[in-house]
Amino acid sequence: MIGLCSVTLRDKKAEEIIDLVKDAGLEVIEWGSDVHVPETDSENAKNVAEMMQEAGLQTSSYGSYYQLGSFEDFKPYIEIAKILGVSIIRVWSGETGSKEIEDSARAKIVEDAQRIGEMARAENLNIAIEYHRETLTDTPESAEQLMKEINTPNVLLYWQPAESLSVEERIESLPKLAPWITNVHVFHWEDFHHRFPLAEGFDEWKQYIDIISEESPHEQNFLLEFVPNDSPENVYESAETLKKLVEK
């Protein structure tokens, strides 16, 4: 399915994001715990879930900012996920890059992932790890190693284009990561501050999506994340491109 991450429009209210997603012809929203659906506010989550149902939309996933290795209480995230009716909770593999992290800290991340994976499994939920720089998924090699070390069936992996790799290197790495890939964050940029219309990256994104769709055994949601200037107008433009990218 195709949709939008609420983080794309951090300054908009939840109801505004829902209206925009529906108008844009998208199907799902990934709600983030940072602004729109905090893990500490179950009543707010219930209101968002009701608005989504009334709009005929689905929540694809719960984008938490839980840091693996912290061993903090994970129950609030599970409860919010259940209220939203999602099957995936996104988490982060620490805050240190794979080349800098100590072995003991890496082991804690693996252990914590296994711990919350078991908690999630008991509720028929999956955990998915953000694919991001300055974490243990900052390179395809480290991400693959991490997933093998965790070795838990319901702990999966997100994917997005790594800034440090060329298009060719990203394409080459995808089959190695495909066994774990579920949701995909879709954007076209040079870096956070230099973003471009998704249409300009159509050809490379077509290759990414085709490989992931063919080789991953998991269902995917392709979720628009960052757009130029964080503008609603560019969400509409990106949505039209995304529809064309996932056409069969």
Side-chain angles (χ1 to χ4, degrees), residues 93-107 109 136:
S93 56
E95 300 177 280
T96 305
S98 59
K99 292 182 179 179
E100 291 79 30
I101 196 166
E102 296 181 358
D103 290 344
S104 59
R106 187 179 187 110
I109 287 173
L136 281 188

Side-chain angles (χ1 to χ4, degrees), residues 3-24 26 28-32 34-37 65 186 192 195 223-239:
L4 179 77
C5 297
S6 66
V7 67
T8 309
L9 300 170
R10 271 198 174 102
D11 61 339
K12 300 295 182 184
K13 295 179 180 179
E15 50 266 39
E16 294 177 300
I17 294 174
I18 289 170
D19 288 343
L20 186 153
V21 166
K22 187 172 182 178
D23 289 345
L26 298 172
V28 299
I29 298 175
E30 174 176 284
W31 290 106
D34 55 340
V35 175
H36 297 102
V37 188
Y65 286 82
V186 180
F192 184 83
R195 310 177 189 179
L223 305 165
L224 297 173
E225 190 172 26
F226 299 109
V227 297
N229 304 315
D230 297 324
S231 75
E233 293 77 15
N234 286 324
V235 171
Y236 285 109
E237 181 180 339
S238 294

Side-chain angles (χ1 to χ4, degrees), residues 63-88:
S64 89
Y65 286 82
Y66 181 85
Q67 293 287 345
L68 292 172
S70 68
F71 290 90
E72 293 180 359
D73 185 7
F74 197 68
K75 290 180 181 178
Y77 297 99
I78 288 177
E79 292 306 310
I80 296 296
K82 289 163 64 177
I83 292 170
L84 293 174
V86 303
S87 62
I88 294 175

